[in-house]
């Protein structure tokens, strides 16, 4: 494709350049931990970057839709970020100041508070914690435990909050007595088999039942943590009505609500903070990634009456990164002044509808969902489509239909009630609507193949989701229409290549509608 070729460095790089690149990769695999992650799926050696584009040591150029796992709201090396960093360096200001006050920090807090949901901005406190998202999650748990005198945390299936002990406990793969796990609403793989409003309502009632049943095994918790859109969990936007229910349920029971906006913040989902879609004001917000303008920075922002901490209750050496604060101030201001959240909403919904067109064409795309420029394409096994459609409804995970626990009572009550008091619709959330359809099995190997084919075409994408089968797009909010077209163009080509490869002999590509022939890509990429 013309656009792909023009951006690709091609294979004609000199042998010396290639061997530098290969040598670095060889030494990396010999010397770095087996725990390295992105480096395994993306064997590239970035040497230069600007905006959406990364250039590798081998001279190849890539469109980067990983964006530092959603960190780079303005893409790589945005001029306003570079200027802010240079200004601090040239001013002679100290770079390391623990948690002392500085003009750079003062400006950052002013800009941050400027962006906060109005219900929080007027009486907010900010705590600078260690520099990663996971540090802010730990700080949030510690804060609500100190404020409430309770220990337990409510978290959701599929959640991801980080890799330090407390954050890991609250993430979906863990088991811990201090964390009670609740169902997160989702349409495509709804734990109740219904999706949509009904699935969200069942999830909310399960939460209420766990909290109000004295024998649920879950004591009154110190806080509830949720992601307004689950990112690592597979790009699952929470319905706005469900968000409001969680706010009501927690407020009624004096449980602080913690919104983890590490990945969803700073315009990514189409509003400055993702909680704004539902109008929910959380008690604590966990912020990192984009707030540091590409440098490490994490904070919690919380209602001042939760500030029960004693001096030194949550200390640490690296809490005053002046360069990150300056880069962060520039980023927050740029996103706000240039209305990049609105831009993310508008471009995101266009990309989603174009991707849905693609899903209609390839049987290996099971679902397309997202909000703003946080987009997921779930890759599934194409072969079992027909068999799956004929299977009886699955039993509800987590609910024992043979026993007499609260789950069964809840189900019976809901079956009797029918749709009498369905919750608010998930306004604006661009998920597929809930249906009775049965999701096809996740296809992590196919997803890896799609990621690899994308890379061959000069496109960097992330994989996520419960089964690592969701291709994730997190482009910078500054991406142009033409670049978005090039991204979708390459992704479509990659899916096509994988589908052909997988099925050599019996195609899984659905018949292409008359108006959308493969030789007329501009039709959908436009
Ligand atoms: N919370 C969420 C929602 C995240 O997506 C992540 C990272 N992907 C974290 C917390 C942890 O952030 P970090 O990797 O900086 O520790």
């Amino acid at each position: 494709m013309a656009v792909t070729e023009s951006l690709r460095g091609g294979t004609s790089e000199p042998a010396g350049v290639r061997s530098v690149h290969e040598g670095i990769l060889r030494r990396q695999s010999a010397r770095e931990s087996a725990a390295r992650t992105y480096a395994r799926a993306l064997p590239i050696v970035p040497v230069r970057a600007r905006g959406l584009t990364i250039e590798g040591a081998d001279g190849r150029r890539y469109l980067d839709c990983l964006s530092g796992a959603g960190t780079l709201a303005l893409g790589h090396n945005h001029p306003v970020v570079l200027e802010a960093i240079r200004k601090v360096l040239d001013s002679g200001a100290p770079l390391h100041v623990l948690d002392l006050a500085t003009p750079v920090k003062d400006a950052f807090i002013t800009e941050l508070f400027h962006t906060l949901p109005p219900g929080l901005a007027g009486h907010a406190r900010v705590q600078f914690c260690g520099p990663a998202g996971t540090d802010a999650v730990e700080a949030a748990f510690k804060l609500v435990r100190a404020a409430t005198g309770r220990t337990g945390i409510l978290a959701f299936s599929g959640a991801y909050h980080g890799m330090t002990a407390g954050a890991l406990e609250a993430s979906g793969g863990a088991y811990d007595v201090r964390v009670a796990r609740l169902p997160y609403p989702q349409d495509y793989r709804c734990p109740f088999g219904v999706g949509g409003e009904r699935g969200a309502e069942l999830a909310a009632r399960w939460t209420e039942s766990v909290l109000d049943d004295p024998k649920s095994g879950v004591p009154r918790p110190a806080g509830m943590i949720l992601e307004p859109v689950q990112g690592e969990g597979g790009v699952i936007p929470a319905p706005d009505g469900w968000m409001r229910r969680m706010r009501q349920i927690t407020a009624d029971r004096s449980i602080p609500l913690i919104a983890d906006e590490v990945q969803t913040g700073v315009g990514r989902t189409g509003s400055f903070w993702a909680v704004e879609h539902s109008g929910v004001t959380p008690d604590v917000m966990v912020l990192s990634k984009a707030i540091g303008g590409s440098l490490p920075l994490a904070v919690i922002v919380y209602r001042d009456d939760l500030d029960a901490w004693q001096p030194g209750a949550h200390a640490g050496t690296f809490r005053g990164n002046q360069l990150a604060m300056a880069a962060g101030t520039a980023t927050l201001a740029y996103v706000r002044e240039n209305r990049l959240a609105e831009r993310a909403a508008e471009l995101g919904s266009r990309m989603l509808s174009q991707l849905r067109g693609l899903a209609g064409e390839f049987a290996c795309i099971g679902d397309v969902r997202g909000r703003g420029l946080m987009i997921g394409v779930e890759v599934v096994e194409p072969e079992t489509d027909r068999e799956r459609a004929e299977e009886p409804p699955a039993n509800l995970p987590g609910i024992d239909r043979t026993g007499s626990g609260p789950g069964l009572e809840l189900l019976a009550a809901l079956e009797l009630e029918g749709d009498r008091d369905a919750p608010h619709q998930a306004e604006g959330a661009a998920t597929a609507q809930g249906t009775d359809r049965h999701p096809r099995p996740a296809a992590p190997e196919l997803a890896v193949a799609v990621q690899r084919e994308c890379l061959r075409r000069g496109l960097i994408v992330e994989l996520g989701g419960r089964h690592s089968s969701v291709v994730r797009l997190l482009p910078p909010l500054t991406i142009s229409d033409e670049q978005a077209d090039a991204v979708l163009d390459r992704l479509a080509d990659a899916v096509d290549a994988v589908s052909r490869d997988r099925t050599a002999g019996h195609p899984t590509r659905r018949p292409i509608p008359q108006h959308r022939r493969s030789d007329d890509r501009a039709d959908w990429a436009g």
Side-chain angles (χ1 to χ4, degrees), residues 297-382:
L297 187 63
V299 299
I300 52 171
V301 181
Y302 51 95
R303 258 190 18 233
D304 52 9
D305 61 319
L306 288 173
D307 206 10
W309 269 336
Q310 296 299 313
H314 196 63
T317 305
F318 289 107
R319 297 187 292 151
N321 188 332
Q322 299 294 286
L323 294 182
M325 288 178 197
T329 308
T331 301
L332 295 173
Y334 192 90
V335 170
R336 181 173 58 78
E337 286 160 6
N338 292 281
R339 307 173 80 82
L340 292 190
E342 282 99 317
R343 164 73 181 158
E346 174 240 297
L347 179 59
S349 70
R350 191 152 57 78
M351 289 176 78
L352 277 169
S353 69
Q354 289 167 348
L355 285 165
R356 294 215 170 98
L358 200 64
E361 202 177 305
F362 291 100
C364 68
I365 299 183
D367 195 27
V368 172
R369 52 185 182 252
R371 204 157 198 182
L373 288 173
M374 194 164 172
I375 294 173
V377 175
E378 181 152 349
V379 181
V380 295
E381 287 298 343

Side-chain angles (χ1 to χ4, degrees), residues 38 69 131-135 137 160-163 227 229 231-232 260-264 286 288-289:
Y38 300 105
T134 198
D135 299 315
V137 170
Y160 183 81
H161 299 293
M163 284 280 168
E227 296 155 87
V229 180
E232 307 301 328
D260 181 343
E261 292 245 21
V262 165
Q263 193 165 139
T264 50
V286 178
S288 186
K289 291 199 194 269

